[in-house]
Amino acid sequence: MSGTRRKNGEGSVFQVSENKWVAKISLGQGMDGKPIIKQFSGKSEAIVKRKLREFKKSADFVVKHMPAVDTVQSYFTMWLSEYQYNKLKPSSYDRLESTVNNHIIPNIGGMKLDKVTRDNIQALINKLYKKNNLSYSSVKKVYVALNSCYKHALIDDVVIKNPCEGVVLPSAIERTKQVVPLSAEEVECLKCELQKTDHDGKPRCYYGYAYLLILNTGLRMGEALSLCWDDVDFNNMTITVTKNNILTKKRELDGNLIGGYELKTQNSTKTSSGNRVIPINESAYEALNVLKENNNSRFVIINSKQNHVLPSIFERSFHAILNRAGIDGDYGVHVLRHTFASMLFEKGIDVKIVSELLGHSTVKITYDIYVHLFEKDISRVTSVLD
């Protein structure tokens, strides 16, 4: 990607798949302030470049020059579609677009880009956190989006200063939800419910052993649902994690929304450190063997039609199991991953090893999430010293 913004009428060419090339050319802005983009597609780079050249010679090629300074809405819209869509993973782009459309444009979208001040940004951050009661994580996403786009605007020479410099984010501790794993008693109740069978010997819970697999490996739900049998090494008793199932918004090639969602298997995990090898313990081994019975798919976890499992259905089934097991609390499938980590800490496993098994990018992330568990250890040490 070029370090400078292409001028209106210059055009860009990029590859979107093995046999798909796209050429895009910006024709400026419409009356509504939205960018006018013309797009061509073809099977090769040469084809789309030819189409682009022919269009430039046609009478339809009229560039409507953008105003000297864009509004926040028009510039952010351009930045999203032309510079972020082909750079980010689908799920990351969905989050960024949602942040811009739901929190930035409704509040300061009508302002000229170069007229936004640090006070405007600080007031927005304070409003979202205090009045709108957004979480620290959501407020930080707003700040990161603003900061990234304004850095781009600096390269474009559209602004002379980044108004995000000097903005103070709220305390992360104040509104950070503490991770609560299942207790030892709840784990036993859950295991009992997950392993129940009907009179014909079939598991009462269709995904019971899939949940047991996550409980004994600490896999993220998306990682578990994308797991293939090729990733499982029964000889060395390991699982190799390299993929992640994500639910993303359906889009056209240029990024415009079509409507609805689609399930994709992403050939990368949430972070680069997410690619890892996890040992298979006896419980995970038993779960994998049950999941392999009558499984004609390459995927480890499948529905009754031998297809991918939708995350929403997998979550809904888990909530029903918790109710049957008499476990109260606002828990999702992710609690199994937290419980896996907490059980390792209970056994005295070093935080660095736990961090590697969970696929966290840094040990600090692991510590920050489970700091309350370490505080319990400190209190125990204090009682021993007394």
mmCIF file of all heavy atoms in Angstrom, residues 89-90 222-228 231 242-248 262-269 298-299 308-309:
data_model
loop_
_atom_site.group_PDB
_atom_site.id
_atom_site.type_symbol
_atom_site.label_atom_id
_atom_site.label_comp_id
_atom_site.label_asym_id
_atom_site.label_seq_id
_atom_site.Cartn_x
_atom_site.Cartn_y
_atom_site.Cartn_z
ATOM 1 N N LYS A 89 -8.704 -7.910 8.411
ATOM 2 C CA LYS A 89 -9.496 -9.127 8.384
ATOM 3 C C LYS A 89 -10.973 -8.734 8.396
ATOM 4 O O LYS A 89 -11.332 -7.679 8.926
ATOM 5 C CB LYS A 89 -9.196 -9.989 9.619
ATOM 6 C CG LYS A 89 -7.773 -10.529 9.673
ATOM 7 C CD LYS A 89 -7.559 -11.299 10.962
ATOM 8 C CE LYS A 89 -6.133 -11.798 11.076
ATOM 9 N NZ LYS A 89 -5.891 -12.513 12.352
ATOM 10 N N PRO A 90 -11.854 -9.557 7.794
ATOM 11 C CA PRO A 90 -13.284 -9.204 7.723
ATOM 12 C C PRO A 90 -13.904 -8.823 9.061
ATOM 13 O O PRO A 90 -14.632 -7.829 9.163
ATOM 14 C CB PRO A 90 -13.932 -10.473 7.155
ATOM 15 C CG PRO A 90 -12.852 -11.098 6.342
ATOM 16 C CD PRO A 90 -11.579 -10.820 7.094
ATOM 17 N N GLY A 222 -14.280 -19.974 18.250
ATOM 18 C CA GLY A 222 -14.012 -19.948 16.815
ATOM 19 C C GLY A 222 -12.923 -20.922 16.409
ATOM 20 O O GLY A 222 -12.977 -21.524 15.332
ATOM 21 N N GLU A 223 -11.917 -21.092 17.275
ATOM 22 C CA GLU A 223 -10.835 -22.035 17.000
ATOM 23 C C GLU A 223 -11.354 -23.470 17.051
ATOM 24 O O GLU A 223 -10.990 -24.297 16.216
ATOM 25 C CB GLU A 223 -9.713 -21.849 18.022
ATOM 26 C CG GLU A 223 -9.001 -20.511 17.928
ATOM 27 C CD GLU A 223 -8.060 -20.248 19.083
ATOM 28 O OE1 GLU A 223 -8.169 -20.942 20.119
ATOM 29 O OE2 GLU A 223 -7.215 -19.332 18.968
ATOM 30 N N ALA A 224 -12.205 -23.751 18.033
ATOM 31 C CA ALA A 224 -12.747 -25.100 18.182
ATOM 32 C C ALA A 224 -13.656 -25.464 17.005
ATOM 33 O O ALA A 224 -13.590 -26.578 16.469
ATOM 34 C CB ALA A 224 -13.520 -25.206 19.500
ATOM 35 N N LEU A 225 -14.503 -24.522 16.586
ATOM 36 C CA LEU A 225 -15.460 -24.792 15.510
ATOM 37 C C LEU A 225 -14.780 -24.909 14.143
ATOM 38 O O LEU A 225 -15.374 -25.442 13.208
ATOM 39 C CB LEU A 225 -16.537 -23.708 15.474
ATOM 40 C CG LEU A 225 -17.453 -23.624 16.705
ATOM 41 C CD1 LEU A 225 -18.499 -22.546 16.523
ATOM 42 C CD2 LEU A 225 -18.129 -24.972 16.978
ATOM 43 N N SER A 226 -13.563 -24.401 14.004
ATOM 44 C CA SER A 226 -12.830 -24.507 12.733
ATOM 45 C C SER A 226 -11.830 -25.664 12.747
ATOM 46 O O SER A 226 -11.160 -25.921 11.736
ATOM 47 C CB SER A 226 -12.080 -23.205 12.439
ATOM 48 O OG SER A 226 -11.057 -22.992 13.399
ATOM 49 N N LEU A 227 -11.728 -26.370 13.873
ATOM 50 C CA LEU A 227 -10.740 -27.436 14.034
ATOM 51 C C LEU A 227 -11.024 -28.599 13.068
ATOM 52 O O LEU A 227 -12.155 -29.066 12.950
ATOM 53 C CB LEU A 227 -10.773 -27.949 15.475
ATOM 54 C CG LEU A 227 -9.551 -28.727 15.965
ATOM 55 C CD1 LEU A 227 -8.339 -27.818 16.026
ATOM 56 C CD2 LEU A 227 -9.836 -29.314 17.355
ATOM 57 N N CYS A 228 -9.979 -29.053 12.367
ATOM 58 C CA CYS A 228 -10.092 -30.189 11.449
ATOM 59 C C CYS A 228 -9.353 -31.392 12.033
ATOM 60 O O CYS A 228 -8.474 -31.238 12.881
ATOM 61 C CB CYS A 228 -9.485 -29.836 10.085
ATOM 62 S SG CYS A 228 -10.342 -28.510 9.223
ATOM 63 N N ASP A 231 -5.688 -31.401 12.092
ATOM 64 C CA ASP A 231 -5.025 -30.620 13.140
ATOM 65 C C ASP A 231 -4.778 -31.446 14.405
ATOM 66 O O ASP A 231 -4.085 -30.989 15.312
ATOM 67 C CB ASP A 231 -5.877 -29.397 13.518
ATOM 68 C CG ASP A 231 -6.162 -28.499 12.328
ATOM 69 O OD1 ASP A 231 -5.248 -28.303 11.517
ATOM 70 O OD2 ASP A 231 -7.299 -28.001 12.208
ATOM 71 N N THR A 242 -4.462 -23.273 14.050
ATOM 72 C CA THR A 242 -4.030 -22.332 13.007
ATOM 73 C C THR A 242 -5.184 -21.566 12.379
ATOM 74 O O THR A 242 -4.961 -20.680 11.556
ATOM 75 C CB THR A 242 -3.294 -23.074 11.864
ATOM 76 O OG1 THR A 242 -4.189 -24.058 11.304
ATOM 77 C CG2 THR A 242 -2.036 -23.755 12.375
ATOM 78 N N LYS A 243 -6.437 -21.911 12.744
ATOM 79 C CA LYS A 243 -7.595 -21.320 12.068
ATOM 80 C C LYS A 243 -8.594 -20.759 13.077
ATOM 81 O O LYS A 243 -8.493 -21.005 14.282
ATOM 82 C CB LYS A 243 -8.286 -22.372 11.193
ATOM 83 C CG LYS A 243 -7.407 -22.952 10.095
ATOM 84 C CD LYS A 243 -8.149 -23.942 9.236
ATOM 85 C CE LYS A 243 -8.534 -25.201 9.970
ATOM 86 N NZ LYS A 243 -7.417 -25.950 10.510
ATOM 87 N N ASN A 244 -9.585 -20.053 12.542
ATOM 88 C CA ASN A 244 -10.599 -19.443 13.394
ATOM 89 C C ASN A 244 -11.870 -19.241 12.584
ATOM 90 O O ASN A 244 -11.818 -18.734 11.466
ATOM 91 C CB ASN A 244 -10.085 -18.092 13.921
ATOM 92 C CG ASN A 244 -11.000 -17.508 14.982
ATOM 93 O OD1 ASN A 244 -11.647 -18.233 15.723
ATOM 94 N ND2 ASN A 244 -11.060 -16.199 15.049
ATOM 95 N N ASN A 245 -13.006 -19.677 13.101
ATOM 96 C CA ASN A 245 -14.284 -19.428 12.441
ATOM 97 C C ASN A 245 -14.830 -18.077 12.877
ATOM 98 O O ASN A 245 -14.869 -17.769 14.075
ATOM 99 C CB ASN A 245 -15.303 -20.520 12.792
ATOM 100 C CG ASN A 245 -15.296 -21.649 11.782
ATOM 101 O OD1 ASN A 245 -14.393 -21.736 10.960
ATOM 102 N ND2 ASN A 245 -16.281 -22.519 11.831
ATOM 103 N N ILE A 246 -15.248 -17.264 11.906
ATOM 104 C CA ILE A 246 -15.783 -15.947 12.216
ATOM 105 C C ILE A 246 -17.095 -15.730 11.484
ATOM 106 O O ILE A 246 -17.318 -16.269 10.399
ATOM 107 C CB ILE A 246 -14.795 -14.821 11.826
ATOM 108 C CG1 ILE A 246 -14.418 -14.933 10.336
ATOM 109 C CG2 ILE A 246 -13.557 -14.844 12.702
ATOM 110 C CD1 ILE A 246 -13.629 -13.763 9.812
ATOM 111 N N LEU A 247 -17.973 -14.949 12.092
ATOM 112 C CA LEU A 247 -19.240 -14.565 11.474
ATOM 113 C C LEU A 247 -19.112 -13.109 11.048
ATOM 114 O O LEU A 247 -18.918 -12.228 11.891
ATOM 115 C CB LEU A 247 -20.385 -14.739 12.479
ATOM 116 C CG LEU A 247 -21.804 -14.874 11.914
ATOM 117 C CD1 LEU A 247 -21.912 -16.113 11.021
ATOM 118 C CD2 LEU A 247 -22.821 -14.950 13.034
ATOM 119 N N THR A 248 -19.169 -12.854 9.744
ATOM 120 C CA THR A 248 -18.961 -11.502 9.241
ATOM 121 C C THR A 248 -20.158 -11.033 8.412
ATOM 122 O O THR A 248 -20.957 -11.839 7.945
ATOM 123 C CB THR A 248 -17.702 -11.420 8.357
ATOM 124 O OG1 THR A 248 -17.893 -12.249 7.194
ATOM 125 C CG2 THR A 248 -16.481 -11.896 9.110
ATOM 126 N N GLU A 262 -22.376 -14.113 7.098
ATOM 127 C CA GLU A 262 -21.882 -15.366 6.551
ATOM 128 C C GLU A 262 -20.751 -15.901 7.430
ATOM 129 O O GLU A 262 -20.000 -15.132 8.037
ATOM 130 C CB GLU A 262 -21.399 -15.184 5.119
ATOM 131 C CG GLU A 262 -20.288 -14.168 4.936
ATOM 132 C CD GLU A 262 -19.916 -13.973 3.481
ATOM 133 O OE1 GLU A 262 -20.160 -14.904 2.682
ATOM 134 O OE2 GLU A 262 -19.388 -12.898 3.147
ATOM 135 N N LEU A 263 -20.680 -17.231 7.507
ATOM 136 C CA LEU A 263 -19.656 -17.894 8.309
ATOM 137 C C LEU A 263 -18.429 -18.138 7.442
ATOM 138 O O LEU A 263 -18.534 -18.689 6.349
ATOM 139 C CB LEU A 263 -20.191 -19.219 8.859
ATOM 140 C CG LEU A 263 -19.297 -19.969 9.849
ATOM 141 C CD1 LEU A 263 -19.185 -19.188 11.155
ATOM 142 C CD2 LEU A 263 -19.859 -21.362 10.128
ATOM 143 N N LYS A 264 -17.264 -17.706 7.941
ATOM 144 C CA LYS A 264 -16.019 -17.894 7.206
ATOM 145 C C LYS A 264 -14.990 -18.588 8.096
ATOM 146 O O LYS A 264 -14.940 -18.339 9.292
ATOM 147 C CB LYS A 264 -15.439 -16.546 6.755
ATOM 148 C CG LYS A 264 -16.247 -15.835 5.687
ATOM 149 C CD LYS A 264 -15.543 -14.547 5.279
ATOM 150 C CE LYS A 264 -16.301 -13.822 4.181
ATOM 151 N NZ LYS A 264 -15.625 -12.557 3.789
ATOM 152 N N THR A 265 -14.193 -19.449 7.482
ATOM 153 C CA THR A 265 -13.049 -20.035 8.181
ATOM 154 C C THR A 265 -11.826 -19.220 7.800
ATOM 155 O O THR A 265 -11.410 -19.202 6.645
ATOM 156 C CB THR A 265 -12.844 -21.509 7.808
ATOM 157 O OG1 THR A 265 -13.979 -22.269 8.217
ATOM 158 C CG2 THR A 265 -11.597 -22.070 8.498
ATOM 159 N N GLN A 266 -11.270 -18.534 8.783
ATOM 160 C CA GLN A 266 -10.130 -17.653 8.569
ATOM 161 C C GLN A 266 -8.854 -18.433 8.826
ATOM 162 O O GLN A 266 -8.704 -19.051 9.883
ATOM 163 C CB GLN A 266 -10.254 -16.493 9.565
ATOM 164 C CG GLN A 266 -9.389 -15.305 9.266
ATOM 165 C CD GLN A 266 -9.817 -14.121 10.116
ATOM 166 O OE1 GLN A 266 -10.587 -13.278 9.703
ATOM 167 N NE2 GLN A 266 -9.326 -14.062 11.331
ATOM 168 N N ASN A 267 -7.955 -18.443 7.857
ATOM 169 C CA ASN A 267 -6.715 -19.210 7.997
ATOM 170 C C ASN A 267 -5.683 -18.494 8.857
ATOM 171 O O ASN A 267 -4.499 -18.386 8.510
ATOM 172 C CB ASN A 267 -6.130 -19.524 6.618
ATOM 173 C CG ASN A 267 -6.988 -20.508 5.853
ATOM 174 O OD1 ASN A 267 -7.522 -21.450 6.430
ATOM 175 N ND2 ASN A 267 -7.165 -20.271 4.569
ATOM 176 N N SER A 268 -6.158 -17.960 9.955
ATOM 177 C CA SER A 268 -5.296 -17.341 10.959
ATOM 178 C C SER A 268 -6.109 -17.239 12.233
ATOM 179 O O SER A 268 -7.340 -17.199 12.192
ATOM 180 C CB SER A 268 -4.834 -15.944 10.515
ATOM 181 O OG SER A 268 -5.949 -15.088 10.331
ATOM 182 N N THR A 269 -5.447 -17.203 13.366
ATOM 183 C CA THR A 269 -6.131 -17.097 14.643
ATOM 184 C C THR A 269 -6.324 -15.629 15.006
ATOM 185 O O THR A 269 -5.957 -14.740 14.247
ATOM 186 C CB THR A 269 -5.325 -17.814 15.742
ATOM 187 O OG1 THR A 269 -3.978 -17.347 15.709
ATOM 188 C CG2 THR A 269 -5.334 -19.319 15.521
ATOM 189 N N ARG A 298 -14.455 -33.406 7.563
ATOM 190 C CA ARG A 298 -13.064 -33.107 7.937
ATOM 191 C C ARG A 298 -13.009 -32.247 9.183
ATOM 192 O O ARG A 298 -11.947 -32.061 9.767
ATOM 193 C CB ARG A 298 -12.328 -32.416 6.786
ATOM 194 C CG ARG A 298 -12.800 -31.023 6.430
ATOM 195 C CD ARG A 298 -12.163 -30.543 5.140
ATOM 196 N NE ARG A 298 -12.505 -29.173 4.818
ATOM 197 C CZ ARG A 298 -11.764 -28.119 5.119
ATOM 198 N NH1 ARG A 298 -10.627 -28.275 5.786
ATOM 199 N NH2 ARG A 298 -12.140 -26.904 4.791
ATOM 200 N N PHE A 299 -14.171 -31.723 9.605
ATOM 201 C CA PHE A 299 -14.226 -30.887 10.797
ATOM 202 C C PHE A 299 -14.510 -31.726 12.039
ATOM 203 O O PHE A 299 -15.283 -32.684 11.998
ATOM 204 C CB PHE A 299 -15.287 -29.800 10.648
ATOM 205 C CG PHE A 299 -14.986 -28.822 9.542
ATOM 206 C CD1 PHE A 299 -15.670 -28.881 8.340
ATOM 207 C CD2 PHE A 299 -13.993 -27.865 9.704
ATOM 208 C CE1 PHE A 299 -15.385 -27.998 7.311
ATOM 209 C CE2 PHE A 299 -13.692 -26.975 8.685
ATOM 210 C CZ PHE A 299 -14.388 -27.044 7.490
ATOM 211 N N HIS A 308 -20.654 -27.260 9.182
ATOM 212 C CA HIS A 308 -20.174 -26.304 10.186
ATOM 213 C C HIS A 308 -21.274 -25.988 11.199
ATOM 214 O O HIS A 308 -22.461 -25.972 10.867
ATOM 215 C CB HIS A 308 -19.801 -24.982 9.499
ATOM 216 C CG HIS A 308 -18.349 -24.905 9.129
ATOM 217 N ND1 HIS A 308 -17.340 -25.185 10.005
ATOM 218 C CD2 HIS A 308 -17.750 -24.538 7.967
ATOM 219 C CE1 HIS A 308 -16.171 -25.007 9.398
ATOM 220 N NE2 HIS A 308 -16.391 -24.620 8.168
ATOM 221 N N VAL A 309 -20.853 -25.692 12.411
ATOM 222 C CA VAL A 309 -21.792 -25.289 13.465
ATOM 223 C C VAL A 309 -21.763 -23.770 13.582
ATOM 224 O O VAL A 309 -20.682 -23.173 13.702
ATOM 225 C CB VAL A 309 -21.422 -25.919 14.819
ATOM 226 C CG1 VAL A 309 -22.431 -25.512 15.889
ATOM 227 C CG2 VAL A 309 -21.352 -27.433 14.704
#
